[in-house]
């Protein structure tokens, strides 16, 4: 199973693909990141995705991930172990 993980910080937007729990690819995103994320989803076809963001990002990213993967937006309401 492939999972796309995205981390949008104040300085940089990063993403990674994990396959069966192993890190297989990493990416630094440019601009708003939408076109690159579309390309990553197309090329790697992740089943799941998770996004952690401390910035106000383009909500089209959420829509894309919601439509193509089982998507979770990590926020202050997310329950963690």
């Amino acid at each position: 199973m492939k999972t796309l993980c995205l981390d949008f910080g104040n300085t940089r937007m990063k993403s990674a693909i994990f396959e069966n729990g192993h890190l297989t690819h990493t990416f630094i995103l440019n601009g708003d990141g939408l076109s690159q994320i579309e390309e990553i989803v197309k090329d790697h076809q992740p089943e799941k995705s998770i996004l952690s963001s401390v910035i106000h990002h383009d909500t089209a990213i959420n829509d894309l991930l919601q439509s193509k993967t089982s998507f979770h937006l990590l926020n202050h309401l997310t329950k963690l172990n």
Side-chain angles (χ1 to χ4, degrees), residues 1-4 17-20 43-48:
M1 175 183 313
K2 291 183 186 177
T3 303
L4 173 62
I17 296 286
F18 287 83
E19 188 167 357
N20 299 317
D43 290 347
H44 296 278
Q45 299 180 355
E47 292 88 6
K48 295 182 177 184

Side-chain angles (χ1 to χ4, degrees), residues 41-80:
V41 169
K42 178 183 170 194
D43 290 347
H44 296 278
Q45 299 180 355
E47 292 88 6
K48 295 182 177 184
S49 62
I50 185 167
L51 169 60
S52 173
S53 179
V54 298
I55 62 171
H56 295 287
H57 61 276
D58 187 345
T59 58
I61 293 171
N62 296 14
D63 297 339
L64 168 69
L65 296 173
Q66 187 76 45
S67 70
K68 300 290 185 179
T69 68
S70 175
F71 173 62
H72 180 77
L73 179 62
L74 187 67
N75 62 32
H76 67 286
L77 299 175
T78 302
K79 294 182 181 185
L80 300 172

